[in-house]
Amino acid sequence: AQKVTQAQTEISVVEKEDVTLDCVYETRDTTYYLFWYKQPPSGELVFLIRRNSFDEQNEISGRYSWNFQKSTSSFNFTITASQVVDSAVYFCALSEANRDDKIIFGKGTRLHILP
Amino acid sequence: GAVVSQHPSWVICKSGTSVKIECRSLDFQATTMFWYRQFPKQSLMLMATSNEGSKATYEQGVEKDKFLINHASLTLSTLTVTSAHPEDSSFYICSARGLAPAYEQYFGPGTRLTVT
């Protein structure tokens, strides 16, 4: 079954702290994609990253970094030196080539960055 | 990246009426469009998949007679909520993709529907 679990419903950290958002996925396919999206209060989804199942290299983009580990079926997202503007809901998502690449979302983690 | 628009961005309608939401791909041809629904403080749930020129495929539990989807052209898909009720109040988001690559999907900004 295709499934994405974000166990952290809500996280609050003080500005400048580092924070990691966890994502665990389930899939039977060998070809799949993992995503992270940010949803600020405006509601519009902001694409952050896409990773395919054959590329386990970690990625860093500015203050953002992602750790993809197939051995634990996890795709965790870390924000370094958090800022108030990072406050949003973050969704981890999965799509499978055998399921028409439909994107299935986790329940999201609401992140509060306190000044 | 490619741009997907939705119209209207928000709409209020009375219970029992129908409302149409448009999803347009502005700078590419969208062979497939997806419709999602998001209730407050919840995740996005896939409602249906529409391919240009064919009938939409609905996810389990989504009433196809209530949520009519039309994808008549390569740049436009519409979702019509028929006989809307307050429980249909939600944030509706579409996404679109071209022929290839299939994993490249672009999301619209969403439409907030309130049924009074």
Side-chain angles (χ1 to χ4, degrees):
Chain A
Q2 183 189 33
K3 189 176 174 182
V4 178
T5 301
Q6 294 180 256
Q8 303 149 308
T9 306
E10 203 157 344
I11 300 175
S12 294
V13 299
V14 176
E15 197 174 20
K16 297 184 185 176
E17 287 185 355
D18 299 347
V19 58
T20 296
L21 308 183
D22 298 332
C23 174
V24 174
Y25 63 93
E26 290 179 35
T27 177
R28 293 179 182 173
D29 279 16
T30 55
T31 302
Y32 54 90
Y33 293 89
L34 294 164
F35 306 80
W36 275 95
Y37 289 90
K38 174 182 180 179
Q39 188 177 43
S42 65
E44 186 161 358
L45 282 178
V46 177
F47 168 81
L48 297 178
I49 191 171
R50 177 185 60 247
R51 220 4 150 223
N52 76 57
S53 51
F54 301 107
D55 183 2
E56 275 192 85
Q57 282 191 348
N58 291 333
E59 174 129 355
I60 298 175
S61 175
R63 295 183 298 106
Y64 295 170
S65 62
W66 291 269
N67 185 322
F68 177 24
Q69 292 198 349
K70 288 176 77 170
S71 60
T72 55
S73 297
S74 64
F75 187 43
N76 296 338
F77 171 34
T78 298
I79 301 175
T80 303
S82 60
Q83 299 176 1
V84 173
V85 293
D86 296 326
S87 297
V89 181
Y90 291 86
F91 290 100
C92 181
L94 165 72
S95 73
E96 296 168 318
N98 285 343
R99 289 179 187 265
D100 198 28
D101 289 288
K102 297 178 190 180
I103 295 179
I104 303 300
F105 289 81
K107 292 191 174 181
T109 296
R110 187 172 298 272
L111 178 62
H112 301 279
I113 308 298
L114 308 173
Chain B
V3 179
V4 175
S5 71
Q6 284 185 238
H7 178 80
S9 54
W10 60 271
V11 58
I12 301 173
C13 71
K14 291 189 176 180
S15 189
T17 62
S18 295
V19 61
K20 182 185 286 187
I21 301 170
E22 294 184 350
C23 176
R24 291 182 186 272
S25 56
L26 298 185
D27 50 4
F28 69 102
Q29 293 186 325
T31 51
T32 304
M33 287 185 172
F34 301 90
W35 286 95
Y36 293 82
R37 178 169 55 181
Q38 185 181 28
F39 291 112
K41 298 200 173 184
Q42 294 189 25
S43 186
L44 285 79
M45 297 301 296
L46 180 64
M47 299 174 67
T49 303
S50 75
N51 292 298
E52 186 264 337
S54 354
K55 286 186 179 180
T57 304
Y58 291 81
E59 296 298 305
Q60 196 170 9
V62 177
E63 301 173 59
K64 62 181 181 181
D65 294 331
K66 181 168 184 62
F67 299 100
L68 302 179
I69 293 173
N70 184 284
H71 191 167
S73 80
L74 284 171
T75 58
L76 174 64
S77 175
T78 60
L79 167 68
T80 301
V81 183
T82 62
S83 187
H85 288 100
E87 56 265 30
D88 298 323
S89 299
S90 188
F91 193 52
Y92 292 87
I93 304 174
C94 72
S95 72
R97 72 176 187 211
L99 269 175
Y103 56 74
E104 197 80 64
Q105 293 184 33
Y106 303 94
F107 283 84
T111 295
R112 195 164 300 280
L113 169 63
T114 302
V115 184
T116 60

